[in-house]
Amino acid sequence: YKKYWPADVHFIGKGINWFHSVVWPAILLSAGIPLPKLVLVHGYVTVGGEKLSKSKGNVVDPFELLKKFQVDAIRYFLLREIPFGEDGDFTEKALIERTNNELVANIGNFVHRTLTFIWNNFEGTIPEPGKFDELDKSLENSIKAVVREVENNMEENRVDETLKRIADFSASCNQYFQKKEPW
């Protein structure tokens, strides 16, 4: 209790918002327990625009999903696809497309080619930079801008925008790598 309370952020689903935003704080106050510093309410995960429902038969079994996809890909998809506080639609097709197009072909490709290049050409040690040309200076400025944007987005709990910015940035890094042709 002493290690984890009061919570900095209390994440809850919108279906239980009333209890956690009214009843739970009243109970805490009456017991003299500090309130969470921030309550964030997330939307529903939908399928075909409809809330998941056993009676409608549109539920997604997370254990079956984990047999097909890695947990990090699922986490990435949900955080990237669904803006916090809003409902968001889930399909396996969209999960596959987002994973293949952003995680694998974009971010993964950039990380792999960069680390492989450093390993193969510099024995795994990052070399000291040479003189920067305009393209290098532009990338350096982009890095600083991305860091500021990511920090701001995370402060505002806009994880989807953070991940979008990182994906966009990795695409520009892939282009930088191609233009520089360091091989």
Side-chain angles (χ1 to χ4, degrees):
Y1 167 79
K2 289 182 180 185
K3 182 177 178 182
Y4 296 108
W5 200 264
D8 287 337
V9 180
H10 191 61
F11 290 100
I12 61 168
K14 71 180 185 179
I16 57 172
N17 185 21
W18 170 255
F19 177 83
H20 283 275
S21 295
V22 177
V23 178
W24 178 241
I27 293 170
L28 292 175
L29 287 172
S30 69
I33 298 172
L35 300 177
K37 296 174 185 170
L38 177 65
V39 176
L40 289 178
V41 182
H42 63 78
Y44 294 127
V45 176
T46 61
V47 173
E50 294 187 358
K51 182 179 157 186
L52 296 175
S53 166
K54 287 181 191 175
S55 61
K56 290 181 181 180
N58 67 350
V59 294
V60 177
D61 183 338
F63 297 107
E64 290 301 315
L65 201 59
L66 286 169
K67 289 178 184 176
K68 297 179 188 177
F69 305 99
Q70 293 183 358
V71 69
D72 287 335
I74 298 167
R75 286 179 181 140
Y76 179 83
F77 174 81
L78 293 171
L79 290 169
R80 171 70 176 88
E81 189 76 16
I82 304 172
F84 200 80
E86 298 178 26
D87 294 348
D89 215 46
F90 173 85
T91 65
E92 282 191 25
K93 180 182 179 196
L95 170 61
I96 291 167
E97 288 174 3
R98 177 90 51 207
T99 300
N100 288 343
N101 295 335
E102 284 184 12
L103 284 179
V104 176
N106 187 357
I107 297 169
N109 179 53
F110 174 66
V111 171
H112 182 264
R113 75 191 305 192
T114 301
L115 294 178
T116 301
F117 182 80
I118 292 169
W119 184 260
N120 290 340
N121 294 285
F122 302 102
E123 298 175 353
T125 302
I126 298 173
E128 289 295 321
K131 185 174 173 155
F132 278 21
D133 62 18
E134 288 306 311
L135 193 57
D136 299 325
K137 291 175 187 173
S138 176
L139 179 66
E140 182 180 38
N141 290 333
S142 292
I143 291 169
K144 291 174 184 175
V146 167
V147 168
R148 282 191 304 274
E149 289 175 40
V150 165
E151 287 173 345
N152 290 337
N153 283 335
M154 291 304 290
E155 283 295 319
E156 296 172 10
N157 300 297
R158 295 173 46 193
V159 180
D160 61 311
E161 287 296 319
T162 298
L163 294 175
K164 180 183 184 315
R165 187 62 182 104
I166 290 169
D168 291 346
F169 180 66
S170 68
S172 66
C173 289
N174 275 315
Q175 292 169 357
Y176 168 83
F177 209 97
Q178 280 303 121
K179 288 176 186 173
K180 292 297 282 190
E181 297 181 334
W183 46 88

